[in-house]
Amino acid sequence: MTTGVGSYEWRFDSGRVCLDLVATGEPAPKGFDDEPRGDDAGLLGRWLTGSGLVPRGTPLTGVDTGWVQRFAELRDCVGQLVRAEIDGRQAAAALERVNAVAAGAPPGIRAVREPGGGLVRTLSDEPECGALLAVVARDTVDLLTDPVARARLRQCEGDNCRRVYLDTSRGRRRRWCSSEVCGNRERVARHRRRAALARA
């Protein structure tokens, strides 16, 4: 799923919310930073809604630079962990931090009726940073302790892309985080190389 965020574009196609968080640290689209600038709190708020951690329409008045720093810290730890797993390494400090955050209670949820009569999910209370972080950390723990899911972790082979994703393709041969983005760039680059060789 892709969501436009002003002049930025978030993609939620990695297969896990924890991996979608890791992607916010990549250079394109510009992610929120652990040294907040400008509208980083607004970017984080839009990411929380786009990722589904917070139901659409939930007021996010409490999101501030403190939230940005805490999410950026967790993002970095999760990124270290999943890349260490891909490379067959350990990241003990990052694992300890993710486990500590995962021990927190996730937000309470409830179902409420829409005006049209359908049920929709909402949070029981105002969103709280630690509770939302716990959801992402628990997703990380679930991912890394599931041998089947862990074996599907891949890092994009696209030039200048460090996105990590779950390869759920048939045959497990997916090479890019997105066929439409990095895959298309690779196909265009390959075509240009062939055209340059033909001209030479």
Side-chain angles (χ1 to χ4, degrees), residues 2-42:
T2 305
T3 299
V5 180
S7 59
Y8 307 111
E9 186 178 271
W10 296 119
R11 287 175 28 214
F12 301 100
D13 56 3
S14 67
R16 297 298 283 250
V17 71
C18 62
L19 301 179
D20 288 334
L21 177 63
V22 171
T24 66
E26 301 305 316
K30 183 249 183 226
F32 44 85
D33 202 351
D34 53 1
E35 295 178 9
R37 304 175 302 274
D39 189 36
D40 278 355

Side-chain angles (χ1 to χ4, degrees), residues 16-18 74 78 98-107 130-145:
R16 297 298 283 250
V17 71
C18 62
L74 180 61
V78 174
V98 168
N99 282 333
V101 176
L132 296 174
L133 287 167
V135 175
V136 178
R138 286 173 180 224
D139 184 56
T140 307
V141 170
D142 288 343
L143 168 62
L144 296 179
T145 57

Side-chain angles (χ1 to χ4, degrees), residues 28-108:
K30 183 249 183 226
F32 44 85
D33 202 351
D34 53 1
E35 295 178 9
R37 304 175 302 274
D39 189 36
D40 278 355
L43 285 173
L44 173 58
R46 292 188 287 275
W47 183 85
L48 290 169
T49 301
S51 69
L53 282 177
V54 174
R56 294 200 181 279
T58 303
L60 291 171
T61 55
V63 178
D64 60 14
T65 56
W67 283 49
V68 172
Q69 290 170 334
R70 291 173 71 186
F71 268 89
E73 177 195 10
L74 180 61
R75 174 192 66 206
D76 295 344
C77 289
V78 174
Q80 290 171 36
L81 267 179
V82 297
R83 289 189 176 102
E85 282 297 317
I86 291 170
D87 296 340
R89 297 179 290 107
Q90 295 186 2
L95 179 59
E96 183 178 334
R97 182 66 190 135
V98 168
N99 282 333
V101 176

Side-chain angles (χ1 to χ4, degrees), residues 143-159:
L143 168 62
L144 296 179
T145 57
D146 177 344
V148 174
R150 190 174 61 236
R152 294 177 176 174
L153 276 172
R154 304 283 187 274
Q155 184 163 311
C156 182
E157 294 180 21
D159 289 341

